Amino acid sequence: MAEPEEGRAGAGFELPILLFAGFRSIIDELHHELAAHGHPDVRPAYGFALQAVGSDGASASEIGRRLGVSKQAAGKTVEKLEGFGYVERVDDPEDGRRKLVRLTARGVDMLARSAEGFDRIRAEWVRALGVERVRALEADLRMMAPANAFRLDAERWFAG
């Protein structure tokens, strides 16, 4: 896609494409880095799901609610994460009839490496664009994307 001339308004379709391209460049770089550090099977949806599990663990129903997906969809994601060694299912100490999903050491490592990677990539954007432009971009996106509009139903978007 050709770059619009300086000062010329872009076509309406360009904004979502550019936002998605920026997102993809960050995610692709992060996932390449994660693969090099022992996490080759990670997909963007897995990071969202591990965040939904949280440090205290959660039931499949809670994970589904946090992600904005059905319990069944959350259960399928948990099965994949369990297969890769990122989570484990354990008896809930407060309710013996239910299982809790908890992060394993491998899951915690992946989340820590992701956080470090996102910080490093943001720092690269700051070096390229300047701190004020990056802060302004973040502030503008926060203003335009209402908090209740962000759902973590990313599995359908990023399955791969």
Side-chain angles (χ1 to χ4, degrees):
M1 175 184 345
E3 258 184 63
E5 297 172 22
E6 189 65 33
R8 179 178 76 80
F13 70 88
E14 287 182 302
L15 179 60
I17 291 172
L18 291 170
L19 288 169
F20 186 70
F23 171 78
R24 247 338 262 271
S25 70
I26 291 169
I27 295 301
D28 289 350
E29 184 174 344
L30 178 72
H31 283 255
H32 178 75
E33 194 173 295
L34 288 170
H37 288 99
H39 300 284
D41 300 311
V42 172
R43 300 290 178 263
Y46 299 169
F48 290 128
L50 292 175
Q51 290 289 335
V53 170
S55 58
D56 295 330
S59 69
S61 295
E62 290 168 325
I63 294 167
R65 277 193 299 278
R66 292 173 186 173
L67 293 173
V69 300
S70 69
K71 177 183 174 182
Q72 292 78 11
K76 287 181 183 180
T77 300
V78 167
E79 284 177 23
K80 289 179 185 177
L81 293 172
E82 192 173 26
F84 292 129
Y86 292 113
V87 299
E88 62 184 354
R89 296 179 209 227
V90 297
D91 291 332
D92 185 337
E94 296 178 17
D95 183 350
R97 298 169 296 167
R98 102 181 173 151
K99 293 284 189 182
L100 271 184
V101 178
R102 287 193 319 202
L103 298 174
T104 62
R106 181 170 168 74
V108 170
D109 180 69
M110 195 280 286
L111 286 176
R113 288 181 187 275
S114 293
E116 291 167 3
F118 282 130
D119 287 345
R120 185 189 53 70
I121 293 166
R122 185 184 183 279
E124 288 175 9
W125 281 48
V126 166
R127 279 191 293 281
L129 301 173
V131 70
E132 293 306 318
R133 287 181 68 190
V134 171
R135 284 182 182 160
L137 174 62
E138 290 167 338
D140 290 345
L141 290 171
R142 277 187 206 99
M143 183 173 56
M144 297 307 296
N148 65 352
F150 185 71
R151 290 186 41 173
L152 295 178
D153 57 355
E155 184 167 345
R156 289 175 292 197
W157 285 43
F158 306 114

